[in-house]
Every structure is written in structure tokens, then in C-alpha cells.
Amino acid sequence: MPRNPLDDVDWDAVKRYKKLVLIVPLFILIAVGALTSYYIVQPEEEAVIKRFGLVVAQKEPGLHFKLPFGIDTAQMVPTARVLKQEFGFRTQGIDGRTSYRKDSMHRDESLMLTGDLKVIDVEWVVQYRVSNPDKFLHQVRDPEQTLRDVSESVMRRIVGNSLGSDVLTEKRVQVANLSRAELQKAMEYFDLGIQISTIELQDVTPPEPVKPAFNEVNQAEQERERFINEAEKRRNQVIPRAEGEARQVIAEAQGYAAKRVNAAKGEADRFTAVYEAYLDAPDVTRQRMYLEMIDKVLPQAGRIFIMDENQTAPLPLLNLGDSPVTVPANR
Amino acid sequence: MNKNPIFSTFVLLLLIIVGVVLRASIYTLDQAEQAVIVQLGAPVGDPVTKPGLHFKLPFIQEVRRFDKRVISWDGDPNQIPTRGEQFISVDTTARWRISDPLIFMQRVQNERGATMRLNDILDSVVRDKISATDLVEIVRSKDWKISEADLARVQLSGEDDEEILLQEVKTGRQELVKSIYTQAASQMPEMGIELIDIRIKRIDYVEAVEQRVFDRMIAERQRIAEQFRSEGEGRAAEIDGDTRRELSEIQSEANRQAEIIRGQADAEASSIYSQAFGAAPEFYAFLRTLESYPKTVQDTSTLILGTDSEYFRYLRDVSVQKTMDQ
């Protein structure tokens, strides 16, 4: 006789535990229901509430209730947080000291062509915020990747429409502003629910192999300044001294002039004075002056010969020198 | 309360069956999803695009779900020659969406199939368009213009390729991308796909060309450096020259002024003398001659005087009164 499997059941035990068998699942049911009927939205977040997959509400930060058992689901999106994407490098270490990493993959991101068909290495950061969490979640499958792709494309278009030397220097801000505007427009086109806060250009440099040549230009520029400065220095060493010397020459000439004129005046005055005295008694004065001169001259002379008209040989008056002196006898 | 175990079991089974049937005839669709209902292999009705709770026939109908959102397509970088025969590497990216899930399901089955078809179509369109376009048209945009001032400034900083700089842009990047989009988008509806956007993500020179461009840039920089250096030397020489000129000017000017001052002084002195001496020329000659003797006669001089000279007159004869008075 085949055994009825139900005969083996300890029906007494079933009766005994009947209550428990009903209560435990019920309790679990209530617990699960309670746990899935509320959610907390953090201050920087917004919640998107979906009922059977259909978006029914967006909630602000705080405690909220919903239908349990997965009928309603809540998805939190950090709308208040400013998010960041880096191009051409990656920041490492969130807190404390940060370091920047750049390898060949990142270099591919940042190397681009300029309008003058050169190559330039532009690193930049896009800061953005989720402005519409519903759209952010449901409009595009991978919004971050879309943002990356579009941002790269936009930056390359703008840089490709500028001169490389401008992007390196004065047009940095302009490039950032233009690409921000264009990126924002693209975000609106995709209806991504993303608001672009800023685009900031980081390091904008010539490509690695060209850098030494660029540095050489900077050095040469400084060298040029140095050359010029040195020449100015030489100039400053010479010119003020020459100016001083010029003033000296002029002053000396003025001194000479004063001396010369004064001497002339003195001499003239003396002459006039002597002449006036002379006019009082011309003959005597003349005689006296002549003799005074002789007084001075004769003692000075080395030898003096006094000749008589009638004699033929010179007549030595004072000491006769060793060497014979021949003097013409007659005039 | 009926305690018949058979009855209890039956109720339990019934509940389970109802549950299973209900589960098989209800389905939810997420906000990001759309679906096609397939009944024994054949699609039934319009595709379901509205998210939420939906019903279907249990067991014989199944739900094929598709993404409703915009999906990214990323092409591999392609090496393409431009019209000017320059090889560049072009990396494109596109966004697309399943616009008609029914046709999509029939033609390409799933996203994998769609991606493969997109690879074929987009790569070929991009290749066609790029190879028919000059590099400047791909890199620059239509509003590219370079003013005289820009050109002068750039040339000052050593750019030599004026020809490239001035090359006019007829279509430009945006127009090029637009035409790529138009051509590619026209092939999409037959796959139930809508092409939202296609973009050139990156353009790079291929390695060999890149090296040449780098060499050109290096040569250009070195030329600028040389220019700076020689400019510096030139300016220095100019300043040195100026310095020397200024020096000569200062010195000669000083000398000139000094000469003038001396000359004027001499002239003044001369006029003073002539005024004074002109009053008594004979006396001046006498006085001046007397003054000159002590200067000219020195101890090396030998004086020979006649006894009949004025001075020795008295040496011979004291009574010369007569003579003198004559």
C-alpha cells in the first residue's frame, strides 16, 4: 500500500506551531514594508521617485515616505555638488596633498591642433552640476562620457580656430569662455540636465619635444635684454664722466680768459702809469731805465768783451775762458 | 475553519498559480526603457514607450526591452589622408537613439548589431568627407579670419607660413561635421535609429607627420631665438655707437666753447693792450725792449760791447757832457 506522505506529517506539531508559522512571515512582511517605505535625502542631493518605473516626483533633502516593496523606488542624485572632469591629467589623492598624473593616455586627451596647424598641449577642467536629476538619469545613458566627448570636441574646435601663440598667452580666458558657452549649448541640445559652471584651462604648453626650443626663445629674449642693459650700463659709465670733464674744460678756458684779460688790464695799467711818470721827465727817466736794465743784464751774462774801435783784437775785461774765442775784428 | 489538509493544499496551489499567472501578465517599464511585445515570435501592436505598469497575455507574450535613452558610439581612431594628402588620425564620437524599437529589433536585433552597423556607416562617411577636405577646413571653423595686426604680430614672433595662415576657410569644421551628420543620419531610419549627433573628437597628425611638425616648430623657435639674440647684439651696438657719438659731441662741444672763450679773452686782452700801448708806441717799444734784455741774456751768453757804446762812454771819458748835450 502506497504511503500517503501526508501521514508522516506530525500534524500535532503543525497545530502547535501554526500560529508561529503565520506570525513570522507576517512580521517579516511588515518589517520589510516598514524599511522600504521611507528614504532620506542628503543635503546635497535630490531624489527621483519612480513608481513601477515611471517618474512621479522629485524630492528635496529630508525624510520622505514612499510605497514599500519596490513599488516606489528612490534614486538620489547629488545636484548641489559641483562635479569635475579633468582633461589631460588626473588629480590623485582627494584630501591632503594632491599630485597630478599625466601619462601617454592623458596626453592624447590634451594634444590638439591649432589654427596654424601646429600642435599644442592644453589641459583643462570642466566643472558642472546636475541641474535636472530626472533628465540626468533618463535622457542619456552615460551622461559623464557624453560630457567628456563633447568637451574634447568643443575644445579642439575652439583651439583649432585660434592661433597657437594666442592660446599659449593672451587668449586663454577667451578660449575657456567660448568653450564653456559652446559646451553648455551642447548640453542643452542633448537635454542632459547638466549645467556647466566653468571651464578652466590648466597648463597650456607646447608639446614635450618642442618645449626646449620654446625655453631657448625665453632665454634668448632675456639675453637680448641683458645685452641691451649692459650697453646702457657702459653708456652710463662713460657719459656722465664725459659731461663732467666737458664742464672742466670749459671752466679751465674761463679761468684762462679771466687770467688773460686781467693780465692785459694789469699790464696796460702799469704801462699807462709808467708812461705818465715818464712824461714828467722823459730824458732822465729814459736814462735811468736804461741803466737799471744794464744793472740787471751785465751780471747775468757769461762773458763780456769790450771792444775798442781802434783795436783789432778783443780786449778781455774779465776772466778769460780756456777756449779761444774768435770774434770778428771789424764790423 | 476547515482543517482538511487536502483542501488547504489546494488553496495554496491555487494561490501560487494565480500569483504566477499574474506575474506573467504584468510588467513594468522603466523611465529609460521602451519595449516591443512579441507573441510567439511575432511582434504585437505598437512598441510600448510609456514607463510604468503594463499588462500582457501571460506566457505567450514576451517583453523585449530596449533602451530609450541616448546611447554613445565611439569610433576607433582612423588614419585618413586629407585632400592635401596629409595623413591625420581622426577620432569620432556619436550619439544615437533607438527611435523605432520594432524596426530596430527586426533589422539589427540588439545594440551590438547596431554598433557594428554604425561602425560601418559612420567610419565610411567620415572617411569620405575627411579625404575630400583640406586640413585647414577640418581644423578651423568658418569664422576663421586673421587680421593684418594678427598677421604682423604672429610674423614678428616668427611664424613663417603666411600662406597657411592666410588660407581662407570655405566650409570649416562645423559645416564639415554637419555634412557628415546629414549623410550619416539619412541611413539611420531604416535601422530604427535616430542619429542625434556626430562629432570629431580628436584630430591628430599621424606619428611620422607629427615628428615633422615638431621639427618645424623647433626650427621656427630656434630662428626666433637667434633673432632675439641678434636683436640684442644689434641694440647693444647701437647704444654703444650712440654712446661714442654722444661722447665725441660732448667733448668737441666743450673744446669748441673753451676755444671761443679763450679766443674772446685773447681778443679782449689784445684790444686792451693796443688801447694802452697805442697811446705811446715809441715808449712802448723802448720799455718792452728794455724788459726783454734781462730775459734774453743768460750766463751762457757772451756780450761783446764796443767802447763807444752808451754804457762804456764814461769808461773812457767822464767829460762827455758835451756829447750828451749835443
Side-chain angles (χ1 to χ4, degrees):
Chain A
M1 171 186 161
R3 280 169 58 96
N4 185 343
L6 289 174
D7 289 349
D8 293 342
V9 176
D10 184 356
W11 288 105
D12 286 347
V14 170
K15 277 174 197 151
R16 231 178 303 134
Y17 292 111
K18 195 172 168 187
K19 276 191 177 154
L20 208 62
V21 168
L22 278 175
I23 283 169
V24 169
L26 198 70
F27 183 77
I28 290 171
L29 203 68
I30 290 169
V32 170
L35 283 173
T36 55
S37 64
Y38 77 94
Y39 56 94
I40 293 168
V41 183
Q42 297 299 322
E44 76 273 14
E45 293 175 334
E46 264 181 72
V48 176
I49 312 305
K50 288 198 277 194
R51 182 162 301 160
F52 293 121
L54 173 72
V55 172
V56 289
Q58 293 185 28
K59 295 290 184 186
E60 300 294 310
L63 177 66
H64 299 281
F65 296 98
K66 64 183 177 75
L67 297 180
F69 305 119
I71 296 171
D72 280 5
T73 55
Q75 255 179 302
M76 318 299 176
V77 180
T79 51
R81 198 179 295 158
V82 175
L83 305 167
K84 187 167 106 169
Q85 283 196 6
E86 295 165 331
F87 297 84
F89 68 103
R90 296 292 180 274
T91 308
Q92 283 180 320
I94 311 299
D95 41 43
R97 60 198 184 87
T98 53
S99 63
Y100 299 98
R101 198 159 58 90
K102 188 176 177 75
D103 56 33
S104 65
M105 194 194 83
H106 304 136
R107 189 159 295 124
D108 283 349
E109 274 177 1
S110 58
L111 277 186
M112 55 187 76
L113 266 64
T114 60
D116 42 351
L117 306 185
K118 305 277 167 57
V119 181
I120 195 171
D121 191 344
V122 180
E123 294 174 1
W124 75 101
V125 172
V126 175
Q127 294 195 327
Y128 64 99
R129 217 167 48 74
V130 177
S131 57
N132 186 326
D134 177 16
K135 285 178 177 169
F136 182 75
L137 289 174
H138 302 119
Q139 206 66 31
V140 173
R141 185 151 73 190
D142 36 16
E144 274 100 355
Q145 187 57 43
T146 299
L147 177 61
R148 281 202 83 79
D149 288 349
V150 175
S151 175
E152 280 200 35
S153 159
V154 164
M155 186 57 77
R156 277 174 172 73
R157 189 193 82 71
I158 305 286
V159 170
N161 206 28
S162 315
L163 289 170
S165 51
D166 287 353
V167 181
L168 279 171
T169 53
E170 68 237 49
K171 261 193 168 173
R172 280 175 61 107
V173 177
Q174 198 184 337
V175 166
N177 289 342
L178 280 174
S179 49
R180 198 203 79 85
E182 197 164 319
L183 185 58
Q184 180 63 49
K185 234 170 83 184
M187 293 299 104
E188 277 154 23
Y189 173 74
F190 289 119
D191 213 5
L192 259 178
I194 283 179
Q195 177 74 36
I196 307 295
S197 313
T198 57
I199 289 185
E200 275 160 17
L201 295 197
Q202 306 290 307
D203 276 3
V204 180
T205 55
E208 207 60 50
V210 185
K211 266 183 194 167
F214 269 79
N215 289 338
E216 197 185 325
V217 170
N218 288 340
Q219 274 175 11
E221 206 170 358
Q222 279 164 14
E223 237 166 275
R224 179 182 67 178
E225 297 311 310
R226 209 193 66 221
F227 278 140
I228 293 172
N229 287 338
E230 277 172 3
E232 297 277 7
K233 191 176 131 199
R234 281 195 294 276
R235 184 181 181 282
N236 291 341
Q237 281 171 345
V238 168
I239 296 298
R241 202 183 64 205
E243 280 169 350
E245 283 169 357
R247 283 192 291 275
Q248 184 192 6
V249 166
I250 292 170
E252 276 171 6
Q254 284 164 340
Y256 165 85
K259 194 172 136 195
R260 184 94 170 84
V261 170
N262 286 337
K265 278 179 181 158
E267 222 175 315
D269 289 351
R270 182 167 71 96
F271 177 80
T272 312
V274 171
Y275 180 59
E276 276 165 7
Y278 165 81
L279 283 181
D280 288 346
D283 287 346
V284 173
T285 308
R286 219 180 158 90
Q287 194 73 30
R288 179 181 56 77
M289 286 167 75
Y290 172 72
L291 291 174
E292 273 175 11
M293 182 276 287
I294 293 291
D295 277 357
K296 267 190 225 158
V297 170
L298 286 190
Q300 276 180 21
R303 309 180 195 178
I304 299 168
F305 297 92
I306 301 169
M307 306 265 295
D308 195 9
E309 282 169 58
N310 308 320
Q311 285 186 312
T312 49
L315 180 78
L317 183 72
L318 297 167
N319 60 319
L320 200 61
D322 294 332
S323 53
V325 178
T326 332
V327 177
N330 295 313
R331 280 182 285 156
Chain B
M1 207 176 181
N2 196 329
K3 305 229 167 123
N4 185 345
I6 312 270
F7 179 74
S8 295
T9 311
F10 177 74
V11 168
L12 201 68
L13 272 175
L14 195 73
L15 271 175
I16 289 169
I17 288 166
V18 167
V20 168
V21 170
L22 211 63
R23 185 72 197 81
S25 53
I26 292 175
Y27 65 95
T28 64
L29 211 55
D30 191 80
Q31 187 83 22
E33 284 179 324
Q34 51 189 342
V36 174
I37 304 303
V38 176
Q39 183 170 334
L40 299 172
V44 183
D46 288 335
V48 186
T49 54
K50 195 173 155 29
L53 200 60
H54 296 278
F55 298 95
K56 65 177 178 72
L57 294 180
F59 310 122
I60 56 165
Q61 287 189 341
E62 64 172 305
V63 181
R64 298 266 175 91
R65 295 164 189 272
F66 298 97
D67 209 310
K68 203 166 68 176
R69 294 171 295 185
V70 173
I71 299 163
S72 301
W73 173 85
D74 193 19
D76 289 329
N78 272 328
Q79 296 200 354
I80 308 172
T82 64
R83 202 172 71 171
E85 305 274 296
Q86 279 159 302
F87 267 90
I88 53 171
S89 152
V90 180
D91 191 1
T92 43
T93 176
R95 305 280 168 259
W96 59 282
R97 178 165 65 193
I98 302 166
S99 57
D100 189 331
L102 185 56
I103 297 176
F104 182 83
M105 188 182 76
Q106 289 166 336
R107 300 283 155 78
V108 294
Q109 284 185 317
N110 51 30
E111 282 179 29
R112 230 174 68 91
T115 305
M116 279 160 66
R117 290 283 291 123
L118 281 170
N119 285 346
D120 295 344
I121 294 170
L122 298 181
D123 278 351
S124 115
V125 171
V126 167
R127 198 172 278 274
D128 286 352
K129 292 288 183 187
I130 294 281
S131 56
T133 315
D134 282 330
L135 181 57
V136 285
E137 305 276 349
I138 303 166
V139 174
R140 296 174 191 164
S141 305
K142 202 178 168 96
D143 58 351
W144 168 271
K145 61 170 185 296
I146 182 153
S147 65
E148 289 287 320
D150 281 343
L151 189 67
R153 187 166 48 81
V154 165
Q155 277 177 333
L156 201 71
S157 73
E159 298 267 359
D160 53 350
D161 29 17
E162 189 178 345
E163 196 187 333
I164 293 176
L165 287 171
L166 289 177
Q167 203 166 336
E168 234 172 79
V169 180
K170 287 184 213 73
T171 53
R173 174 133 168 197
Q174 284 155 314
E175 298 290 318
L176 170 73
V177 169
K178 211 174 277 176
S179 81
I180 290 174
Y181 172 81
T182 314
Q183 190 169 337
S186 66
Q187 301 180 48
M188 297 293 141
E190 64 186 33
M191 295 187 290
I193 288 173
E194 183 195 353
L195 187 65
I196 308 285
D197 177 74
I198 181 164
R199 283 166 184 274
I200 298 173
K201 190 162 81 173
R202 295 176 193 165
I203 302 171
D204 295 303
Y205 291 117
V206 298
E207 220 164 292
V209 180
E210 187 172 63
Q211 196 49 54
R212 276 211 305 280
V213 172
F214 286 171
D215 288 347
R216 193 157 57 91
M217 290 171 79
I218 290 170
E220 185 190 287
R221 289 295 121 185
Q222 285 170 342
R223 213 186 53 235
I224 299 168
E226 279 311 310
Q227 193 182 328
F228 277 144
R229 283 199 201 94
S230 77
E231 247 175 50
E233 282 163 8
R235 282 285 294 133
E238 193 184 329
I239 293 169
D240 282 346
D242 275 353
T243 305
R244 277 196 288 275
R245 180 178 53 76
E246 230 171 300
L247 201 62
S248 306
E249 275 173 11
I250 291 168
Q251 286 170 342
S252 62
E253 173 66 19
N255 287 337
R256 187 180 70 85
Q257 286 185 18
E259 288 306 321
I260 290 173
I261 292 167
R262 283 203 180 87
Q264 282 171 347
D266 286 346
E268 196 181 337
S270 175
S271 91
I272 291 168
Y273 282 133
S274 58
Q275 233 171 23
F277 302 153
E282 197 282 326
F283 180 69
Y284 170 70
F286 169 69
L287 190 69
R288 193 67 190 77
T289 311
L290 284 190
E291 278 174 359
S292 111
Y293 289 149
K295 287 178 200 157
T296 52
V297 176
Q298 290 155 13
D299 55 356
T300 53
S301 321
T302 302
L303 283 181
I304 298 171
L305 301 167
T307 46
D308 57 342
S309 70
E310 181 80 11
Y311 182 62
F312 290 106
R313 225 164 20 140
Y314 298 106
L315 209 60
R316 270 202 314 204
D317 185 6
V318 186
S319 53
V320 282
Q321 184 72 40
K322 231 185 278 174
T323 328
M324 260 190 73
D325 291 342
Q326 277 168 358

